[in-house]
Amino acid sequence: MAGRIEARMRRAVTAGVSLAVMSLALGGAAQAETAPFRIGALNPVTGAGSPYGPGMQKAIILAADEVNAAGGACGRKLEVSAEDTQTSPEAAVLAVKKLIEVNKVDAVMGTWSSGVTLAVMPITTQAGLSLLNTSGAPAISTEDKADLVWRFQATNDRFGQAFARIATERGFKRPATMAYNNASGIGNTEGFTRAWTAAGGEVVSSVVYEPKRPSYRSELQQILAANPDVIVMGSYLQDTTVILREWYQSGQNPDVKWIIPGWAANQQLIDALGPDVLANVIAVDSISNESAPSYAHFEAAYKKAMGADAPANVYAAMTYDMVIAWGLAMQQACPDTATAAVNGSIRAIDTADGAPVYTFAEGKAAIEAGRKVNYEGASSRLSFDEYGDVTPDFSLSEIDGGAFVRKGVVSF
Amino acid sequence: MDTAYYLNLAFNGLVEGSIYALGALAITLVFGIARFPNASTGDLMTVGAFGGLAGTLAGGGLLGAAIAGVGVSAAVALAFHFLLFRNLARRSAVASMIASIGLAFFLRSALSFIFGHDQRVYDLPLTRAVLFGPIRVQPTDLQVMGAAAAALAVVFAVLHLTPIGRRMRAVADNPDLARASGINAGRVMAVMWLMAGGLAGLGGVLLGAKTVVTSEMGWDLLLPAFAATILGTIGNPIGAVLGGLLIGLVQELSTPFVGFTYKIGMGFAVLLLMLMIRPQGLFARNALVR
């Protein structure tokens, strides 16, 4: 009986009764409009994400300050509580529970690795909170049944498409793939393989490998036996360090090129191996919306706050956009600023026919004047697809003078 | 998939197996003499890897790393013998085992707290592999295997050529009789912990040289090292080394058939099979540490 009612409820919701209306009906609007809206900043301050986490956290705080300086969203100030995920799912679960139960946050922003996001998602969804993340695993799109999860980073699948585009442009003919055995790693290489074979190409060899092995010689031997001209990786820093060192030291196929995601092929990889080993590496990373006024605005604020250049941290631009977009959605949802209502208004600040706006203050003024807006983010144009995913541009970088230097941009 | 391919797989397996073997040697010594499964062995390896890092930073190269790593982890093992395991010796083996699990967590957390989670790399010169017939051999691999062989030789020399070694074997054989004969069990235990810590540390340094150093690295080696210990009969040093090599071999040689994600399971499949056929292990004799 209860099941039947539930099924009917679900049908009703899918039939288009919006969440906003539901929460109104349930008295969600009854809460005080002046209480601060609490944001949980859940970032990888330590662990594998540590090159990015501190900047991501800072970007959330400075964006919240910006919203507050403009008088808040719908009259409510934003308040940030920060926790460290340690880039570990276990630690992230403890941290998110603390944010929800102790800090009483209304939304969680800035989870970085797919493993962390997938671990935190069920908890935030259960609590009815939105989760804004910078992870790549395709599973995040499909697991998000409640439409509470918003991704400000390209999916691994789109990374894979970018890899395929670059492989085509560089004239490679015989790609092989190596993937770390998790949703993100395999998502990268599967995305590549789909795009590459759809264009009529073939992948000569592929391996899925386990993390933290004492050696990857056997895996490499299988890949190199197929004589590829490029090896496409879905990998992380640690395994990439070991694999590239063993490849270089083995002296096999010294001319083979590597296409590696930017979170693995970064300055830390150069520190570990030296630039000579990485001469054949093409690092591919999603990049910020660099030509947009919103990016220039963010860059100046970030530099002032961090003393570091924004391009070194694409994820900081994403977390900055999370807060600005969320603030605008609150403004759009006004007077009901409960999480569910704001969550339901995110697409409304990304309307194709809306006036493009580049800062919170600008967007707030436009919404108050009753105009439709389209927030063009600092991290990407923020065009959310049906899954709440965005499509940023990608850069390809190669070693030049001991550092990775951008050599081109790929747009979709 | 020709002979050369399989030969290279076998060689890779032996190199990986050498690292398992060092962990297994450390486990088997503790098991034989203190009579409990030491779950902190993996994290003692991590301690050794970080000690080795200090050795390379001091400009000692791989040899300096090995000396520093062995020294640090032997000292840590001895310290926890006095702080922890000595007081539990009269209790059941379970008490010591639980304590060793606690020690494992403590060591890992302490290292994470002090050094963070970022990877560190031994600053060693990059070398090129040499072809021995069809087999590609990297100098590091030879050093790994050589170190495992040398460690085994040292363990044997101590056990069979020194007075303290004879006492260790006596304690392993029959603690009550050994005590009645006037053997100082305290000194035997101290030397055993120094050796076990040193062996784990050496394994950690070699793993660090081959991969990267993180606070989590040793934990992942604990299970294969335990499997190697059981495969080669608990308490038997030769068995521990051969068990480690066998698991490495089976893992790598299985890859053409089961792929690279299930190869780890193959090592345990061998263990299961062996336990069904020979529950006492491959090298069982009536006595331990002989």
Side-chain angles (χ1 to χ4, degrees):
Chain A
M1 179 70 206
R4 211 173 317 143
I5 291 174
E6 217 177 313
R8 213 176 304 150
M9 284 270 292
R10 217 175 310 141
R11 260 203 308 279
V13 172
T14 45
V17 179
S18 82
L19 285 168
V21 175
M22 290 222 355
S23 66
L24 271 176
L26 297 171
Q31 60 170 271
E33 289 293 353
T34 49
F37 188 96
R38 285 183 284 266
I39 290 171
L42 188 59
N43 313 117
V45 180
T46 57
S50 62
Y52 313 109
M56 293 164 78
Q57 190 186 88
K58 194 78 198 171
I60 289 178
I61 292 167
L62 71 88
D65 290 346
E66 198 175 304
V67 170
N68 293 340
C74 189
R76 290 180 78 179
K77 293 271 200 274
L78 301 184
E79 192 180 273
V80 180
S81 315
E83 279 293 332
D84 177 13
T85 63
Q86 300 173 31
T87 328
S88 137
E90 295 84 0
V93 163
L94 291 176
V96 79
K97 284 184 169 160
K98 184 246 169 189
L99 285 172
I100 294 171
E101 287 159 14
V102 179
N103 303 104
K104 304 268 189 272
V105 297
D106 303 304
V108 177
M109 298 186 188
T111 50
W112 181 77
S113 82
S114 298
V116 165
T117 299
L118 287 164
V120 167
M121 254 170 79
I123 300 168
T124 51
T125 302
Q126 180 71 37
L129 306 185
S130 299
L131 175 66
L132 287 60
N133 69 80
T134 65
S135 307
I140 295 168
S141 310
T142 46
E143 289 298 309
D144 174 31
K145 306 271 191 282
D147 202 22
L148 284 167
V149 179
W150 302 87
R151 189 199 306 254
F152 285 63
Q153 159 71 313
T155 62
N156 294 116
D157 198 63
R158 289 193 179 107
F159 261 91
Q161 291 167 22
F163 292 169
R165 178 86 68 90
I166 288 162
T168 309
E169 280 173 9
R170 289 290 172 107
F172 294 122
K173 295 279 179 284
R174 299 178 55 79
T177 65
M178 291 182 84
Y180 182 104
N181 190 10
N182 75 358
S184 167
I186 295 173
N188 273 338
T189 54
E190 279 186 348
F192 168 81
T193 303
R194 248 195 305 276
W196 182 258
T197 48
E202 66 154 341
V203 175
V204 296
S205 180
S206 61
V207 154
V208 175
Y209 61 84
E210 286 297 303
K212 298 183 179 175
R213 302 301 306 151
S215 157
Y216 290 105
R217 287 279 302 280
S218 305
E219 285 83 343
L220 271 167
Q221 176 175 260
Q222 175 159 327
I223 287 288
L224 295 174
N227 201 16
D229 54 10
V230 63
I231 299 172
V232 175
M233 301 278 275
S235 63
Y236 291 95
L237 177 66
Q238 276 184 36
D239 36 296
T240 305
T241 305
V242 179
I243 288 170
L244 284 176
R245 188 200 285 141
E246 289 191 316
W247 160 75
Y248 183 83
Q249 295 200 135
S250 80
Q252 282 173 287
N253 307 48
D255 298 328
V256 74
K257 294 279 193 290
W258 298 79
I259 295 179
I260 303 176
W263 58 80
N266 56 16
Q267 185 58 43
Q268 281 180 299
L269 189 67
I270 302 175
D271 295 343
L273 296 175
D276 292 351
V277 180
L278 306 181
N280 290 7
V281 172
I282 299 167
V284 181
D285 215 340
S286 64
I287 50 173
S288 304
N289 196 4
E290 291 167 5
S291 54
S294 46
Y295 180 77
H297 176 86
F298 158 74
E299 193 181 27
Y302 185 81
K303 196 162 182 140
K304 203 168 90 182
M306 291 295 283
D309 281 338
N313 191 345
V314 287
Y315 302 99
M318 292 174 203
T319 53
Y320 171 85
D321 274 348
M322 287 175 187
V323 180
I324 302 298
W326 189 262
L328 290 172
M330 282 172 72
Q331 198 62 50
Q332 186 76 43
C334 211
D336 178 7
T337 49
T339 303
V342 180
N343 189 75
S345 300
I346 287 199
R347 289 180 205 279
I349 59 147
D350 167 40
T351 50
D353 55 348
V357 294
Y358 302 101
T359 64
F360 176 75
E362 200 183 336
K364 181 181 175 181
I367 294 169
E368 281 177 336
R371 287 202 297 276
K372 272 190 169 176
V373 297
N374 180 6
Y375 175 58
E376 296 279 328
S379 59
S380 71
R381 289 185 308 283
L382 288 196
S383 305
F384 293 101
D385 66 6
E386 60 186 301
Y387 298 112
D389 299 344
V390 297
T391 306
D393 296 340
F394 295 90
S395 68
L396 65 107
S397 309
E398 288 175 297
I399 290 281
D400 192 339
F404 277 113
V405 177
R406 185 183 302 181
K407 300 289 184 188
V409 173
V410 177
S411 307
F412 286 96
Chain B
M1 300 288 177
D2 48 3
T3 322
Y5 189 90
Y6 286 99
L7 281 173
N8 275 298
L9 285 182
F11 180 74
N12 299 344
L14 290 177
V15 175
E16 278 196 40
S18 302
I19 294 177
Y20 300 151
L22 286 165
L25 260 180
I27 290 172
T28 228
L29 275 180
V30 179
F31 220 126
I33 294 169
R35 300 186 177 243
F36 72 91
N38 177 15
S40 65
T41 308
D43 296 287
L44 276 171
M45 290 174 114
T46 314
V47 169
F50 275 96
L53 201 61
T56 54
L57 292 176
L62 190 58
L63 186 65
I67 293 168
V70 167
V72 169
S73 55
V76 168
L78 186 65
F80 281 100
H81 160 59
F82 284 122
L83 290 169
L84 192 63
F85 296 116
R86 193 176 51 157
N87 308 321
L88 294 170
R90 301 249 176 282
R91 310 273 283 277
S92 75
V94 174
S96 293
M97 185 188 78
I98 303 279
S100 75
I101 294 172
L103 174 59
F105 281 119
F106 170 77
L107 290 174
R108 204 170 334 141
S109 305
L111 288 168
S112 304
F113 182 75
I114 300 167
F115 297 102
H117 293 269
D118 283 352
Q119 66 170 39
R120 287 175 165 73
V121 182
Y122 284 2
D123 190 11
L124 301 169
L126 290 165
T127 50
R128 291 287 196 178
V130 187
L131 278 174
F132 281 88
I135 302 178
R136 274 175 196 277
V137 178
Q138 287 176 17
T140 332
D141 296 338
L142 290 180
Q143 286 156 344
V144 168
M145 292 169 86
L152 186 64
V154 167
V155 169
F156 263 79
V158 169
L159 286 180
H160 291 273
L161 304 177
T162 64
I164 187 78
R166 199 167 54 243
R167 290 189 208 116
M168 284 166 90
R169 284 182 293 135
V171 172
D173 228 13
N174 189 332
D176 298 332
L177 186 59
R179 204 170 323 129
S181 328
I183 288 176
N184 177 348
R187 188 171 306 167
V188 165
M189 286 291 174
V191 172
M192 181 277 290
W193 277 106
L194 275 176
M195 281 167 69
L199 288 165
L202 182 63
V205 168
L206 296 173
L207 184 65
K210 275 184 74 65
T211 60
V212 294
V213 179
T214 66
S215 53
E216 315 273 314
M217 63 193 285
W219 176 247
D220 302 296
L221 278 180
L222 186 64
L223 280 178
F226 258 112
T229 307
I230 299 165
L231 193 61
T233 302
I234 293 165
N236 183 325
I238 291 196
V241 171
L242 291 178
L245 295 178
L246 189 64
I247 284 184
L249 267 178
V250 169
Q251 258 184 23
E252 297 309 303
L253 284 173
S254 71
T255 54
F257 311 103
V258 301
F260 293 97
T261 52
Y262 292 109
K263 70 175 182 186
I264 302 160
M266 291 308 291
F268 294 102
V270 168
L271 180 65
L272 279 177
L273 200 67
M274 199 272 319
L275 286 175
M276 281 192 266
I277 302 165
R278 262 183 81 89
Q280 66 274 51
L282 289 176
F283 301 94
R285 271 187 272 146
N286 293 337
L288 304 164
V289 191
R290 275 279 174 97

